[in-house]
Amino acid sequence: MTYQTVMDQVKACMGGVAAFGLPRTELTIAALLKQQTDYHTAMIGKWHLKVEPNFDYYKVLPGQGKYYDTEFRVQGDKPWPKNLDEDPCPREYLLLIALREVVAHAPSDRIKSVALRLVQRLLTAVQGNQEAVADSAAECAGALAAIAPEAVAQHFLDPLLTASDVKHKASAAACAKAATSAKLATDASVAAALVDRLEPLLKLLDDDDLDCKKKSLGLVHAAAHNRLSLLEAHSGFVETRLATLAALKIEHVVDLGPFKHKVDDGLPLRKAALAALATLVDRKAVQDTANCVDVVAGALADKNADVQAQAHQLLVKLCALDSASVLAKADAICEPLDKAVHKKIKEGTAKDDRAWDLVRSALRAVLAVKELPGGCPRADALLEKARAKDKLAAELAALAK
């Protein structure tokens, strides 16, 4: 299949594209979508067909494209093929990546001597309109906090946390996350940069902006893994917010003309909240394990397979940590596990292997509940039901080895 075939559904040998490019008279799928369904069309990527793309918008690489100092042809005021994008790749982004490595590996005294100037430059980068540049600047500031925590706190974090733009607050959380795990970070440097600012950073978990929530969740997860003491004074607040976000459902519908597609905007946050909670359980830093079991019970019934798998793993951890709380919720836990174990799977499909992985994950969770001190009749009944089916019996036998 060639690019031409994708465009006009005609065999490449019939189009003459090798010598002349795609003829302007050729009817393409883009033109059909515009004419018959009122789509808006766009083409972004490689374009080997020589003539100007017939789309509402395009940004394409001429031919194979250059790997360095990449040039794009962009629809605009200039005619094809003279419509080259003058600045397609923000060099500032590449500079910030290099700077982050310099901060991590150069002598600390040299970095410290220019820390204030660096922080001011990083703040300017964050306040621009380039998301990738802002993220890279925030990570660089986090690395710098290991060497000059006061400068980063006062001249980077404070201005961002008091800004009205939620994107700037999200960058502050990204910086704090990087600070907890920076190569040269110590408990003292992290405390100097973040302790007095942790409360507003964690309150971003309540922000209406989803990116703020996500960046703050990243901070919680990194702190739980690298600097657990940082969260001690806020553990109750953190656990409550993780429970809320693990159940967050935000959806919107995208109208694609012939059909509609439902987008689960809350999914990344649910997964991130469960991952952070799992790390806290691993570190035995959960204060309210009973509430954590409730969170898992809800996640077991989630429609998303990835969330279910996370819940299975977290349940196994909780069985080892607090068997009494798990047994108290046995009915709420075993009902969704039963559905997961006995979900119908279309054999021979592309999703077959992944579906069975989820079944095995659910069986491991059931086995963990069964082995709790005092036993669990509901789990015993579930396993007995599973053994009545040859395929599930074979999976259980394999798990027992």
Side-chain angles (χ1 to χ4, degrees):
M1 180 178 288
T2 68
Y3 287 93
Q4 179 193 8
T5 305
V6 173
M7 292 300 304
D8 62 10
Q9 308 301 297
V10 176
K11 290 183 179 179
C13 60
M14 300 174 61
V17 67
F20 305 109
L22 184 66
R24 294 297 293 174
T25 57
E26 193 74 20
L27 182 63
T28 67
I29 190 171
L32 282 172
L33 288 171
K34 291 170 67 175
Q35 291 172 8
Q36 298 183 13
T37 60
D38 199 29
Y39 268 76
H40 293 284
T41 60
M43 169 66 198
I44 299 172
K46 291 182 181 178
W47 184 256
H48 294 273
L49 302 182
K50 301 181 182 180
V51 297
E52 183 175 15
N54 185 22
F55 292 82
D56 293 320
Y57 172 81
Y58 63 79
K59 184 172 183 178
V60 297
L61 289 162
Q64 185 68 20
K66 294 167 61 178
Y67 291 105
Y68 299 98
D69 292 327
T70 308
E71 295 176 341
F72 289 89
R73 288 181 180 148
V74 183
Q75 186 182 47
D77 298 331
K78 296 181 181 178
W80 175 279
K82 298 180 179 180
N83 52 344
L84 288 177
D85 188 348
E86 296 179 354
D87 187 23
C89 179
R91 289 172 174 77
E92 188 171 16
Y93 172 72
L94 302 176
L95 177 64
L96 290 168
I97 292 176
L99 178 58
R100 186 177 61 196
E101 295 303 310
V102 170
V103 169
H105 297 95
S108 296
D109 56 340
R110 293 186 181 180
I111 298 298
K112 199 168 186 175
S113 66
V114 294
L116 183 57
R117 290 171 58 192
L118 290 176
V119 169
Q120 292 170 338
R121 185 65 189 84
L122 292 171
L123 181 63
T124 301
V126 165
Q127 292 170 337
N129 294 322
Q130 292 282 348
E131 182 179 353
V133 170
D135 288 344
S136 189
E139 292 174 4
C140 192
L144 186 59
I147 300 170
E150 291 82 6
V152 171
Q154 295 172 19
H155 300 285
F156 189 86
L157 288 175
D158 287 349
L160 293 180
L161 286 171
T162 55
S164 57
D165 193 331
V166 293
K167 291 187 294 186
H168 295 164
K169 295 178 181 179
S171 293
C175 169
K177 173 189 174 182
T180 65
S181 53
K183 181 179 179 180
L184 301 177
T186 63
D187 288 343
S189 70
V190 172
L194 301 183
V195 165
D196 293 338
R197 295 154 185 88
L198 196 58
E199 184 173 343
L201 286 166
L202 293 177
K203 283 186 176 179
L204 295 177
L205 293 170
D206 292 331
D207 199 281
D208 291 336
D209 184 77
L210 297 184
D211 191 47
C212 274
K213 290 180 185 290
K214 186 177 179 180
K215 295 286 174 58
S216 189
L217 275 171
L219 166 60
V220 170
H221 196 180
H225 186 73
N226 299 298
R227 309 288 165 187
L228 187 57
S229 59
L230 196 65
L231 299 176
E232 287 179 354
H234 307 274
S235 56
F237 176 86
V238 167
E239 288 181 33
T240 301
R241 296 311 184 273
L242 290 180
T244 300
L245 293 172
L248 184 66
K249 300 290 177 65
I250 302 177
E251 297 178 340
H252 75 275
V253 176
V254 178
D255 190 347
L256 297 176
F259 58 91
K260 295 182 179 180
H261 176 64
K262 186 178 290 185
V263 179
D264 187 351
D265 295 312
L267 177 59
L269 297 172
R270 298 201 302 278
K271 292 168 69 173
L274 287 171
L277 198 57
T279 299
L280 289 172
V281 170
D282 283 337
R283 302 294 303 273
K284 296 180 172 58
V286 175
Q287 288 188 341
D288 190 349
T289 52
N291 184 58
C292 189
V293 173
D294 287 335
V295 172
V296 170
L300 289 171
D302 199 286
K303 294 180 180 179
N304 184 267
D306 291 338
V307 173
Q308 290 180 38
Q310 283 183 281
H312 297 157
Q313 296 168 16
L314 187 49
L315 176 58
V316 173
K317 299 174 191 290
L318 286 168
C319 286
L321 184 65
D322 187 353
S323 59
S325 293
V326 174
L327 284 172
K329 299 289 183 178
D331 288 342
I333 287 170
C334 288
E335 183 176 348
L337 286 176
D338 188 24
K339 291 180 180 179
V341 168
H342 293 282
K343 184 176 181 179
K344 291 183 180 180
I345 298 174
K346 292 182 180 179
E347 301 290 348
T349 65
K351 298 180 180 180
D352 184 4
D353 289 343
R354 188 178 181 193
W356 277 108
D357 284 341
L358 188 63
V359 170
R360 295 182 193 102
S361 177
L363 287 172
R364 290 188 188 94
V366 177
L367 289 169
V369 175
K370 176 188 180 301
E371 297 300 325
L372 291 175
C376 177
R378 183 69 189 272
D380 291 336
L382 199 162
L383 291 171
E384 190 66 27
K385 179 181 175 183
R387 291 190 180 97
K389 297 183 178 181
D390 293 342
K391 179 66 174 177
L392 292 177
E395 294 292 346
L396 283 168
L399 291 173
K401 291 181 180 179

